[in-house]
Amino acid sequence: MPYILAIESSCDDTSAAVIYNSKILANVIANQQIHEQFGGVVPELASRAHQQNIIPVVDAALKKANISAEQLDAIAFTKGPGLLGSLLVGCSFAKTFAMSLNIPLIEIDHLEAHILAHFIKDTDEDAVPEFPFLCLLVSGGHTQIILMKDYFKMEIIGQTIDDAAGEAFDKSAKIMSLPYPGGPLIDKYAKEGNPLAFTFPEPNIDGSNFSFSGLKTSFLYFIRDQLKKNPDFIEQNKNDLCASIQYTIVNILIKKFIKAAEKNGVKELAIAGGVSANSGLRLKLQEVCNQKGWKAFIPKFEYSTDNAAMIAIAAYFKFLHEDFASLDASPYARESGRI
Ligand code: KG4
Ligand code: ZN
């Protein structure tokens, strides 16, 4: 029965988690505020901040889990996709730690981990999906509908042909001059707004693929035209604008997801990735699944956005199969044939 330390450093959050079987004992996250002023993540600053954060974050995770490093059975790290400089910090740290403790190293794909977060069982009551199930993976860099056949056996049913759903949120927020990352702020202001106040066109894309770049452009032009008439337009309509753009993005996502579920005859639907923290998306999925008599799997808030707990649960399943990495494992920035 393993204790595993997992490290996530693919973007701008440094996180360390300790798992014992499928129960998370600690999940510590250090956010990097430095990027806010630049309106996006600056890769060099991110890797430097990871270097500063990693030891204190791992130390805090071990303390919280109330175990010593010597009790660990394996060390897991995010191998990709992500920012190379950021991934390298987690990867080098994990290798060194595993080598010094003489325990196995486990490499984990960040996207698989987002989905496998659904298998964390913090209590015996936590329900987990049954294979096959369909997962809508929505993050800052990805938007995919994935048919999950087994823990590490998945098939992409559809994906975005341009921007990811997270980018649609963040770029819309930027157009409204909201700070980065704008997704959580849109969610916050949307709660006070009218989702039908403004309507934006939904794309007409075949099959289960998505497109968000047209929506971004029409939002940009709409705001630009309104600002010409009223320079205070954004400030005066912030809540309604956020509610309306969120409503449109959620509708685009859910419609395709439901169609894909019907087409594939799957009745268990999960959402994963940072955008799965969105309250509009969470509500809508639950509502649709209730209507159809399907099961909705919505990750706990702390396991939605980037975190090491999801790396830890994926590592647990690899540990059971003794699927260990070699010490010359190196990270990858882009998706790498995981499916
Ligand atoms: O999975 P994640 O934390 O990092 C990546 O792997 O990309 O996802 C980050 C994305 C960002 O685009 C962020 O704005 C979005 O998730 N996000 C949200 C919310 N929380 C995070 N988007 C909408 N509503 C939220 N509550
Ligand atoms: Zn992520």
Side-chain angles (χ1 to χ4, degrees):
M1 297 292 106
Y3 281 106
I4 302 171
L5 170 74
I7 293 165
E8 153 63 34
S9 69
S10 65
C11 193
D12 59 338
D13 296 313
T14 320
S15 180
V18 177
I19 197 166
Y20 179 68
N21 297 335
S22 42
K23 185 170 188 251
I24 298 296
L25 303 182
N27 182 34
V28 178
I29 304 174
N31 304 115
Q32 302 179 1
Q33 306 302 341
I34 183 127
H35 308 287
E36 212 179 284
Q37 57 189 294
F38 298 103
V41 177
V42 183
E44 290 79 8
L45 296 179
S47 52
R48 201 178 306 162
H50 282 304
Q51 281 171 345
Q52 284 161 353
N53 291 341
I54 195 144
I55 291 177
V57 164
V58 167
D59 194 44
L62 290 174
K63 284 206 174 87
K64 176 121 199 288
N66 203 17
I67 64 162
S68 67
E70 288 68 33
Q71 285 174 273
L72 291 170
D73 296 289
I75 312 278
F77 69 98
T78 306
K79 198 178 178 196
L83 300 171
L84 212 49
S86 293
L87 290 162
L88 272 168
V89 177
C91 172
S92 320
F93 180 88
K95 280 184 193 173
T96 316
F97 209 19
M99 203 156 62
S100 69
L101 294 168
N102 198 22
I103 54 176
L105 183 69
I106 302 175
E107 55 188 24
I108 298 296
D109 181 279
H110 181 87
L111 300 170
E112 286 178 344
H114 266 304
I115 304 173
L116 294 177
H118 282 285
F119 292 91
I120 294 171
K121 271 182 93 88
D122 285 331
T123 67
D124 289 341
E125 287 76 51
D126 286 349
V128 300
E130 275 178 34
F131 299 109
F133 68 93
L134 212 58
C135 186
L136 176 68
L137 175 68
V138 272
S139 70
H142 292 82
T143 297
Q144 296 179 330
I145 297 177
I146 296 172
L147 182 62
M148 291 295 294
K149 298 175 176 172
D150 206 340
Y151 295 106
F152 297 99
K153 209 165 152 212
M154 25 191 109
E155 184 190 335
I156 299 178
I157 300 292
Q159 58 192 325
T160 182
I161 57 166
D162 41 54
D163 289 350
E167 280 176 290
F169 272 104
D170 296 340
K171 288 179 178 174
S172 304
K174 201 168 179 179
I175 293 169
M176 291 185 280
S177 303
L178 295 174
Y180 178 88
L185 289 172
I186 290 192
D187 193 355
K188 181 179 148 196
Y189 295 124
K191 291 193 175 102
E192 310 294 326
N194 172 10
L196 304 176
F198 307 105
T199 48
F200 302 105
E202 291 184 19
N204 200 356
I205 303 285
D206 281 349
S208 299
N209 286 338
F210 300 96
S211 166
F212 288 103
S213 68
L215 176 63
K216 174 192 65 191
T217 310
S218 68
F219 190 64
L220 177 71
Y221 289 169
F222 173 74
I223 298 271
R224 196 188 56 184
D225 293 346
Q226 296 303 317
L227 285 176
K228 278 185 201 150
K229 294 183 243 168
N230 171 11
D232 296 326
F233 178 76
I234 295 176
E235 212 36 56
Q236 287 167 1
N237 295 279
K238 193 158 69 183
N239 295 342
D240 285 350
L241 283 168
C242 288
S244 302
I245 195 76
Q246 174 171 303
Y247 178 82
T248 313
I249 296 171
V250 168
N251 258 347
I252 294 171
L253 291 170
I254 289 287
K255 276 186 196 164
K256 290 277 175 146
F257 195 28
I258 298 305
K259 268 198 188 148
E262 281 166 348
K263 196 167 165 217
N264 287 276
V266 179
K267 295 184 175 166
E268 301 210 0
L269 276 69
I271 47 174
V275 179
S276 71
N278 183 266
S279 50
L281 181 62
R282 294 163 85 92
L283 269 174
K284 187 79 192 171
L285 180 69
Q286 191 62 65
E287 197 183 290
V288 172
C289 285
N290 287 348
Q291 275 167 11
K292 294 197 173 272
W294 295 350
K295 271 194 196 166
F297 290 89
I298 295 165
K300 280 187 194 157
F301 194 75
E302 65 265 38
Y303 303 146
S304 303
T305 47
D306 287 351
N307 66 88
M310 66 187 199
I311 307 300
I313 187 73
Y316 168 67
F317 294 120
K318 284 205 167 181
F319 186 96
L320 296 183
H321 291 99
E322 298 189 10
D323 185 353
F324 301 134
S326 90
L327 280 175
D328 46 46
S330 56
Y332 48 83
R334 306 210 141 261
E335 247 175 277
S336 100
R338 71 197 161 90
I339 292 173

